Amino acid sequence: MMKKLDLLYEGKAKKVYKTEDENVLIVDYKDDATAFNGLKKGTIVGKGAINNRMSNHIFRLLEKEGVPTHLVEELSDRETAVKKVEIVPLEVIIRNVAAGSFSKKLGIEEGRKLLRPTLEFSYKNDELGDPFINGYYALALGLATEEEIETISDYAFRVNDVLIKYFDSIGIELIDFKIEFGRLADGTVILADEISPDTCRLWDKETREKLDKDRFRRDLGNVEDAYEEVFKRLGIK
Ligand code: TMP
Ligand code: ASP
C-alpha cells in the first residue's frame, strides 16, 4: 500500500502528503470545519471519513459519466491517493436553486428554483476572501486559458447533470455546489478537491431540511446527524 511521506500542505479541512510516486499525493481528511474564510472554527465529528468516502463514491460515478478526476485509490476511511495536479485558482460554483450568497446579493428568497443553472467563479485567494470574478477576469489575470475555462465550464455543467439525477434518486435536492479543477503535468484539466456536504447544499427532497454544512455555518444544530444522513443514503457497502 502507498505510504505517506512528507506533509506537503495543510488546508482547513485536509492534509496533503507526498508519496514515493512523484505524480501521486495522499489526501487525509480532517474533522475540522471552518466558515466565513476561517473566522468560524469547529469540529464535525466523523466528517473526515464521510467526506472522504462520499467524495470518492461521487468521483467514481463521474468518471463513468466521462468526467476525469484526480481519484487514484481510497486507502482508508480518511485517506485517498490522488493524482498530483496544479490547482486552477478558481472555485467553480453551479446553482440550481437560489440560496446563500446568491440570495443575499440579489434579494431572492432561499429555495426559489432558478429558470436554468448558473455558473460563477471565485478567485481562490484566502487573503481576499475568495472574491466573485467572471471568465474575463480569469483570462485577464492569467488564472486559466480560454480553452481551460471552456473545458471547466463544460465539465461543471456535466457534473451538475449527473449529480442532480443521482441525488434525486436518494431523496436529495441539489441546490448548489462548488468544485475545483487541476492540471496534470501535461496540462490536462481534471476534477480535483472534493464533493461532499462541505461543498454542496443538499436539501431533503420532501421536507427541504438542510443536510449540509449550512447547519454548521448557521448554527442550526444536528450537524453530525445531517452528514450521517447523507452518507447513509449513499448506500456505500
Ligand atoms: P455561497 O452561496 O456561499 O456562494 O456558496 C455556494 C456553494 O459553494 C455552496 O454549495 C457552498 C459552497 N462553498 C464552498 O464549498 N466553499 C466556500 O468557501 C464557500 C463560500 C461556499
Ligand atoms: N471555505 C470556507 C472557509 O473557511 C468555508 C465555507 O463556508 O464553506 O472558511
Side-chain angles (χ1 to χ4, degrees), residues 58-71 83:
I58 288 176
F59 277 25
R60 277 180 223 115
L61 182 71
L62 290 169
E63 289 272 359
K64 271 193 232 148
E65 300 288 341
V67 179
T69 79
H70 71 174
L71 178 62
K83 292 178 187 166

Side-chain angles (χ1 to χ4, degrees), residues 171 173 203-211 233:
E173 185 177 358
W203 292 4
D204 180 87
K205 203 164 96 177
E206 303 304 327
T207 66
R208 294 197 119 189
E209 187 189 356
K210 293 177 172 55
L211 300 174
R233 292 191 197 185

Side-chain angles (χ1 to χ4, degrees), residues 1-5 17-21 24-28 52 72-82:
M1 185 164 114
M2 232 169 283
K3 275 203 326 269
K4 285 179 186 163
L5 298 180
Y17 295 85
K18 290 187 185 175
T19 70
E20 276 147 17
D21 183 338
V24 177
L25 302 175
I26 292 176
V27 181
D28 189 337
N52 179 44
V72 175
E73 188 190 2
E74 188 168 289
L75 300 173
S76 72
D77 260 15
R78 287 171 189 273
E79 298 162 307
T80 294
V82 300

